Amino acid sequence: MDWGTELWDQFEVLERHTQWGLDLLDRYVKFVKERTEVEQAYAKQLRSLVKKYLPKRPAKDEPESKFSQQQSFVQLLQEVNDFAGQRELVAENLTVRVCLELAKYSQEMKQERKMHFQEGRRAQQQLENGFKQLENSKRKFERDCREAEKAAQTAERLDQDINATKADVEKAKQQAHLRSHMAEESKNEYAAQLQRFNRDQAHFYFSQMPQIFDKLQDMDERRAARLGAGYGLLSEAELQVVPIIAKCLEGMKVAADAVDAKNDSQVLVEQHKSGFARPGDVEFEDFSQPMNRAPSDSSLGTPSDGRPELRGSCRSRAMRWPFGKKNKTVVTEDFSHLPPEQQRKRLQQQLEERNRELQKEVDQRDALKKMKDVYEKTPQMGDPASLEPRITETLNNIERLKLEVQKYEAWLAEAENRVLSNRGDSLGRHARAPDPPASAPPDSSSSSSSQENKESSEETPLEEGQDTPIYTEFDEDFEEPTSPIGQCVAIYQFEGSSEGTISMMEGEGLLVMEEDKGDGWTRVRQKEGGEGYVPTSYLRITLN
């Protein structure tokens, strides 16, 4: 069923319907525009929320960054940030594919509709003009017929009148004949005009207007189909980001599962383990015999005036008490302000950093020497003298770093000796029986001695194993990371076109060789062996 056949007489209805269709198209475009504004505001608020809760300082400066709880929270925030990015992508797709394209299409439809209705109105105007001409010719024919009949009656009356002259009769007959001839011409003109109008009217109702209505029907159907496709784009924009959003949600689940309470407890131990030996037993001080008591470092001294001196002893015990209020420490270069174990770890870190810097400078020196040799053999490639300042600077840096390495090695040796000494003192105190008080009964002393001898025999293997390194488990933490430090999955595809980067496919599994240093790039290795840098934001990283 087509409009030209079934709705041939519904010009105004079609005009209202096509206008309603274009208005609906404009309403949908406006709806999608407001929807994109909602998505953009939502994404902006999510990004602001993530920025608010992300750590302000770099991860290496935050002690809490070593805990799996903090790492999972940061990963959770990153996934939320990626989720916000997908909402922005939805808004962008809707803006481009719906708002802009449909708005442009709506303008084209309005122009096409205007053209069709202008053509229909011109056809109507032409038909109306033809009908007016028909009416004019009809009225002229009618008037001429009345005039001819009147003239004929006048001539007949004069012809019968005996008083009329012959000239009057002849004149009346001529007038009647003229009127009759004019009536005949008006009749012929009216008949021709009627025939022409009927032909134009048939063309108007059976050909011209049906064609215009069919064009309007085709235009409206195309508009409706395009609007339906626009409705589909609303869901299609969401479906496009569903896989990425699913990966974000999966990343949140992985972050939640990555919380390791036992490991966090171990990290706390490693971060704050002091290395101090536990306080020894407080010796019994017999004040009943002050003159016979021998002075010692752990008892009250007796000055010459017979009064006990309490200050030194009390201060010594206060320093040994671990829960007392600590004074503000002064940071020193050798980290001697830290407990022995923490001092050893910090010195080891500094030593490894210096060794890495030293190796980097040595590699640079070798590269500069090779470049200098090339310049000397091929002068057109460059001036060898231009490399001398850089070579000199590199040699100075090497000498400086060697001195620093020696300095930190000496401090590290002292710190390790201090840790071993504290460990040995602690083991010795636990293996030695405490001195019994002078007034203690003999039974107690003998039973205590036998008990402590038993404990001493159990502690003997520990004393024999003192010479072995105590902190060998930390050696791996400060070695150059030649093995992967974690795994990652590519969230997006990346084309590594610049030097030092590699390409990766979406969903590809990679090995993390070096963490992001703050510049937005992470060094990874492919399973085929290729290695290079890729954007950190393109990865979902899980460290070992």
Side-chain angles (χ1 to χ4, degrees), residues 50-333:
V50 170
K51 184 178 180 180
K52 177 181 177 181
Y53 284 94
L54 274 176
K56 306 300 181 186
R57 296 187 295 175
K60 61 180 182 180
D61 298 335
E62 289 283 353
E64 292 80 6
S65 64
K66 301 296 182 181
F67 295 102
S68 63
Q69 307 163 51
Q70 177 69 6
Q71 295 172 356
S72 296
F73 182 58
V74 172
Q75 184 179 353
L76 188 70
L77 292 175
Q78 292 174 348
E79 296 295 347
V80 172
N81 193 57
D82 293 341
F83 177 81
Q86 296 308 307
R87 303 319 309 172
E88 291 175 341
L89 183 61
V90 169
E92 181 180 356
N93 288 338
L94 291 178
T95 300
V96 175
R97 303 186 60 187
V98 178
C99 295
L100 297 180
E101 294 185 4
L102 283 186
K104 181 180 178 181
Y105 184 75
S106 176
Q107 294 299 323
E108 295 175 355
M109 290 290 102
K110 290 177 181 178
Q111 293 295 329
E112 183 178 352
R113 174 182 177 275
K114 180 179 179 181
M115 180 187 67
H116 291 323
F117 278 105
Q118 285 179 348
E119 183 180 357
R121 287 190 176 91
R122 283 196 301 268
Q124 284 183 339
Q125 188 64 38
Q126 291 175 357
L127 186 63
E128 289 177 1
N129 293 336
F131 183 74
K132 289 179 180 179
Q133 292 177 0
L134 176 64
E135 287 294 320
N136 291 335
S137 63
K138 178 182 177 182
R139 284 194 296 269
K140 185 176 181 296
F141 173 57
E142 183 181 4
R143 185 174 61 253
D144 290 343
C145 286
R146 285 197 302 267
E147 292 291 336
E149 184 178 358
K150 184 178 179 181
Q153 291 175 357
T154 301
E156 185 179 355
R157 187 177 66 251
L158 290 175
D159 187 35
Q160 294 176 359
D161 189 359
I162 59 176
N163 296 322
T165 63
K166 186 176 180 180
D168 291 338
V169 173
E170 287 296 329
K171 183 179 179 180
K173 288 183 178 180
Q174 290 178 0
Q175 186 67 25
H177 180 72
L178 178 62
R179 292 293 181 182
S180 176
H181 180 70
M182 291 176 62
E184 189 65 27
E185 288 182 353
S186 297
K187 178 180 178 182
N188 294 334
E189 182 181 355
Y190 170 63
Q193 191 68 31
L194 180 62
Q195 185 178 5
R196 183 165 52 251
F197 174 76
N198 288 333
R199 184 176 65 251
D200 293 343
Q201 181 177 252
H203 176 70
F204 176 81
Y205 285 112
F206 290 95
S207 178
Q208 191 173 16
M209 290 306 294
Q211 290 179 2
I212 294 175
F213 286 173
D214 289 342
K215 291 178 181 178
L216 287 171
Q217 180 181 2
D218 178 67
M219 180 205 74
D220 193 72
E221 289 177 354
R222 283 187 283 113
R223 178 202 56 77
R226 186 65 178 271
L227 183 59
Y231 292 162
L233 291 175
L234 199 64
S235 60
E236 184 179 342
E238 293 285 350
L239 292 174
Q240 286 180 349
V241 300
V242 164
I244 305 300
I245 291 179
K247 291 181 180 179
C248 293
L249 298 177
E250 182 182 353
M252 295 180 189
K253 183 64 169 60
V254 171
D257 296 339
V259 176
D260 190 343
K262 293 292 185 182
N263 182 71
D264 287 353
S265 299
Q266 184 65 26
V267 169
L268 183 66
V269 171
E270 298 300 337
Q271 285 186 349
H272 300 285
K273 183 178 179 181
S274 67
F276 284 125
R278 291 182 176 85
D281 296 333
V282 179
E283 298 181 359
F284 178 78
E285 300 182 17
D286 191 358
F287 292 97
S288 63
Q289 300 176 359
M291 302 304 296
N292 298 331
R293 180 168 46 85
S296 63
D297 294 338
S298 61
S299 62
L300 299 175
T302 306
S304 58
D305 57 359
R307 290 178 298 179
E309 178 64 43
L310 300 176
R311 294 182 179 179
S313 177
C314 291
R315 183 161 57 249
S316 175
R317 284 196 296 271
M319 291 177 62
R320 193 167 52 224
W321 182 244
F323 305 107
K325 184 177 180 180
K326 297 179 174 59
N327 296 327
K328 186 176 180 179
T329 58
V330 179
V331 179
T332 57
E333 186 180 4

Side-chain angles (χ1 to χ4, degrees), residues 84 125 196 214 225 262 265 270 282 293 296 315 364 385 392-393 401 404 409 426 434 468 479 486 491 511:
Q125 188 64 38
R196 183 165 52 251
D214 289 342
K262 293 292 185 182
S265 299
E270 298 300 337
V282 179
R293 180 168 46 85
S296 63
R315 183 161 57 249
Q364 186 174 358
T392 303
E393 181 183 358
L401 290 172
E404 292 185 3
E409 285 178 346
S426 177
T468 60
E479 292 178 357
I491 303 177
L511 300 176

